[in-house]
Amino acid sequence: MTNKPVQISEDLFIKLDQMATQRGVTVDQLVQEMLGDSLKAAGAVYQDHDEAKIKERLKSLGYID
Amino acid sequence: MEHILIPPHGNTLVNRVLSEAHAAEAKTRLAGKFSLTLDDEQVKDVKNIARGVLSPLTGFMNESDFVRVVEEMRLADGTIWSIPFVLDVSEEDASNMNTGDEVALQDATGNLIAVLHVGDIYGYDAAHVARFVYGTDDSAHPGVAHWQAMKSRLVGGLIDLIDNTKEPYYEVNLDPAETRYLFKERGWKTVAGFQTRNVPHRAHEYLQRCALELTDGLFINPIIGKKKTGDFQDEVIIKAYHFMIENFFPRESATFSILPARMNYAGPREAVLHAIIRKNFGCTHFVVGRDHAGVGDYYGTYAAQKIFEGIEDEIGIKILKFEHSFMCKTCETVATSKTCGHGDDVRVPPSGTKIRDLLSAGQPVPADIMRPQIVEMLLQQKSLFVE
C-alpha cells in the first residue's frame, strides 16, 4: 500500500467534496466508504491476482527460486 | 525505480475467473438449466477470455464488435482487434435463449466450464467473414472451411469462468498475471515473445537469440491445441523446449509457457492477434517471420509483417521482423538473406518435411538443422507425431 497522490478531474473532485461535506467526512474517508460498499456488493466475484499466490505457484513450478 | 510493465491491450487485464464461492454458487444456480456444449477449441477460447489472454475481450463478441472486427479490424470502441471470437449455435439452441439469460457452457464430457450472460444473438455470412479475415473464400483454406462448417447463429455475451483447471499441462501453463509477475521478478523491462508450433530447430533458435540480443528476456510461447496428422504432439514440443531452455539458454533471460489456443491460419490477421496476446502476457516485442501463421499460398511472403505498418505504435508492441533463416554451409552459421550473401546451393533451410521424415524413420536430423542433443531427446520419445 502506498499513499501516493493521484490526479482526478476537477469536476469529479468538486462533486466528491460536496458529497463529503454533506456527510461531514473528508474526501479520503468518503472514497474509502464508497470503495468498501462497492467491494461488499461485488462480494469478491472474481479470483484476485494475489501476488503472494502467484509467487508461490511460480516457485512450486520452478519458474523462480 | 518502480518496474513498469507494458499495459495489457485495452489497458486492463481482464479477469473473469470466478472466486471459489461464486463458482460453487453458479454451479448450483445453473444445475438443470439450459446449457450449450463446447468443443475443445471453444473451451480454450472461454478460458483465454476469462484469464485475460485475450484482453480486452470479456466474452464472446456481440454483433457490433463482430461486424467491425471483420470489416475494419477494430472492436466497436475502436481498439485494434483482428480475429472474431464468436460462439456459434444452432437455430434450435438460439431459440432457447434470450438476451439477459444465463446459459451454462459445458465441455464434451458434460463438465461445467463457464456461465455465458447472453448478449446479442445474430446471424452472419461466412463468405463475407472469410473474404475479410482470411482474404479468400476458398473452402480449401482451413480457416474458411471452419467458418463454412459453423452453425448458423452466433451468440455474444460476457463469460464467467467456473472451471479454471489447466490440465493436462498445468506446470507450463501460465496466465498473463503470472507471466507479468515472472517478468517483473526477473527484472525484465523488455521481453521478446516468440510464437511457435514446432520443436526447436537451429533456424528458430537463431531468431530467438537475435531477439534476445535486443531485449532483457525471451518468452517462448508455443501454441498447443488441435493438430493435423503429422504434426508434432504437444508433449513433444513441451519436452523439447523444456530441454532447450534448461540446457542452452541462460535461465535468467529465457523462459517458456504454453498457449492453449486454436490456430486460425489467418496469416497477417493472425500475426496481429498473436502480437496482442503476447502484449497481454507482458511482452514488449514480438517476432514475426515471413508467412507467419500462414497456410498454403494464400498470403504474400511479407503480408504478416506489412500488416503492422501504421498500426504497430497503436497496438503498442514492437514487431521484430525477420527473413527466413537457414544454415549457410559457406558462412558455417545460421543466417538470413539479410546477413548471408551466398546462394541457395549452400543454404540448408529447416525443412519440416525432412525433419519429420527422418525422425519418423528413427534417423538423426543433420546437426546443421537441429541440435544433436534435441534430436537424441526426440528419438527417445515413444511417439512424436499426431496420427
Side-chain angles (χ1 to χ4, degrees):
Chain A
M1 273 297 278
T2 60
N3 269 324
K4 286 181 187 166
V6 292
Q7 273 197 324
I8 58 173
S9 72
E10 198 175 342
D11 277 359
L12 179 57
F13 181 79
I14 289 167
K15 279 180 198 156
L16 287 169
D17 192 42
Q18 284 169 349
M19 285 171 70
T21 306
Q22 281 169 10
R23 296 171 65 95
V25 295
T26 66
V27 170
D28 261 17
Q29 286 167 332
L30 177 74
V31 171
Q32 290 287 354
E33 206 176 286
M34 290 164 75
L35 192 60
D37 286 349
S38 146
L39 287 176
K40 223 179 285 171
V45 174
Y46 300 105
Q47 286 183 16
D48 57 359
H49 289 152
D50 180 353
E51 289 209 340
K53 281 185 192 163
I54 291 175
K55 188 174 182 176
E56 195 182 318
R57 174 164 141 83
L58 292 177
K59 243 181 180 175
S60 72
L61 298 177
Y63 277 98
I64 55 176
D65 297 324
Chain B
M1 203 174 88
E2 197 180 347
H3 189 122
I4 308 290
L5 286 168
I6 185 172
H9 200 51
N11 291 320
T12 303
L13 192 61
V14 168
N15 172 20
R16 299 196 65 90
V17 181
L18 288 175
S19 65
E20 280 182 28
H22 277 81
E25 192 270 324
K27 274 185 183 177
T28 310
R29 198 173 67 237
L30 293 169
K33 289 200 175 167
F34 179 71
S35 65
L36 294 169
T37 300
L38 307 183
D39 63 29
D40 289 348
E41 304 308 295
Q42 290 168 327
V43 170
K44 289 188 188 101
D45 287 346
V46 167
K47 291 189 172 182
N48 284 336
I49 288 167
R51 292 172 179 158
V53 173
L54 301 173
S55 297
L57 301 192
T58 49
F60 286 112
M61 287 177 179
N62 283 318
E63 191 167 14
S64 57
D65 280 330
F66 169 75
V67 169
R68 197 161 178 204
V69 164
V70 168
E71 295 179 357
E72 299 177 50
M73 219 174 75
R74 288 179 187 274
L75 296 169
D77 69 3
T79 306
I80 290 180
W81 195 272
S82 54
I83 301 282
F85 278 79
V86 293
L87 179 59
D88 59 314
V89 295
S90 65
E91 291 287 347
E92 187 187 348
D93 281 341
S95 69
N96 283 319
M97 292 184 284
N98 291 300
T99 301
D101 287 354
E102 281 191 333
V103 169
L105 301 180
Q106 59 183 27
D107 66 14
T109 68
N111 178 42
L112 185 55
I113 300 292
V115 187
L116 171 70
H117 302 271
V118 177
D120 295 346
I121 302 168
Y122 54 102
Y124 66 98
D125 177 348
H128 180 76
V129 173
R131 281 193 293 272
F132 275 98
V133 176
Y134 300 98
T136 175
D137 55 9
D138 181 358
S139 53
H141 185 295
V144 175
H146 171 73
W147 274 85
Q148 288 172 341
M150 279 167 51
K151 294 167 192 156
S152 59
R153 306 286 286 169
L154 302 178
V155 54
L158 295 170
I159 293 292
D160 282 336
L161 187 67
I162 292 171
D163 177 358
N164 193 28
T165 53
K166 294 180 175 178
E167 301 303 338
Y169 306 113
Y170 170 87
E171 69 285 357
V172 287
N173 185 354
L174 301 185
D175 291 344
E178 292 168 331
T179 54
R180 287 171 164 270
Y181 182 89
L182 176 63
F183 299 165
K184 200 166 96 176
E185 182 78 7
R186 292 195 177 181
W188 297 351
K189 291 189 172 64
T190 53
V191 186
F194 190 89
Q195 144 79 29
T196 184
R197 286 179 283 151
N198 220 325
V199 294
H201 51 67
R202 298 266 193 189
H204 272 180
E205 184 184 333
Y206 173 78
L207 302 187
Q208 291 159 1
R209 290 187 190 278
C210 285
L212 189 48
E213 289 290 352
L214 302 169
T215 55
D216 299 331
L218 172 67
F219 177 54
I220 297 169
N221 194 209
I223 283 202
I224 296 298
K226 197 174 178 182
K227 301 277 180 183
K228 302 192 298 286
T229 302
D231 283 353
F232 278 101
Q233 291 187 10
D234 290 341
E235 51 267 39
V236 172
I237 297 171
I238 292 169
K239 271 187 188 169
Y241 263 110
H242 189 70
F243 186 85
M244 189 74 199
I245 298 276
E246 289 294 312
N247 294 283
F248 294 101
F249 281 112
R251 178 177 155 76
E252 62 274 15
S253 55
T255 193
F256 96 105
S257 161
I258 59 167
L259 171 63
R262 69 170 77 229
M263 271 299 297
N264 299 284
Y265 302 98
R269 285 254 195 161
E270 192 141 30
V272 172
L273 174 69
H274 286 169
I276 290 171
I277 288 174
R278 275 42 180 238
K279 179 186 171 191
N280 286 333
F281 277 114
C283 297
T284 52
H285 295 65
F286 181 60
V287 175
V288 177
R290 286 169 38 162
D291 201 25
H292 183 106
V295 62
D297 295 323
Y298 291 99
Y299 308 109
T301 307
Y302 296 100
Q305 298 179 346
K306 280 185 181 161
I307 195 170
F308 288 97
E309 288 171 9
I311 59 169
E312 187 175 336
D313 287 347
E314 193 180 341
I315 296 173
I317 186 168
K318 178 77 187 157
I319 303 302
L320 301 174
K321 298 165 188 160
F322 287 99
E323 295 281 335
H324 275 320
S325 47
F326 47 78
M327 169 63 82
C328 172
K329 287 183 173 173
T330 306
C331 294
E332 295 182 334
T333 187
V334 181
T336 70
S337 55
K338 198 175 174 184
T339 56
C340 163
H342 303 109
D344 285 345
D345 54 327
V346 291
R347 293 174 175 181
V348 184
S351 160
T353 310
K354 186 175 179 182
I355 292 173
R356 226 181 347 262
D357 289 350
L358 286 168
L359 290 173
S360 296
Q363 299 293 314
V365 178
D368 50 10
I369 293 180
M370 190 178 275
R371 285 188 176 276
Q373 300 91 333
I374 299 279
V375 174
E376 190 186 335
M377 193 277 292
L378 291 174
L379 288 174
Q380 286 168 1
Q381 306 306 308
K382 278 185 187 164
S383 169
L384 288 173
F385 303 106
V386 175
E387 290 172 4

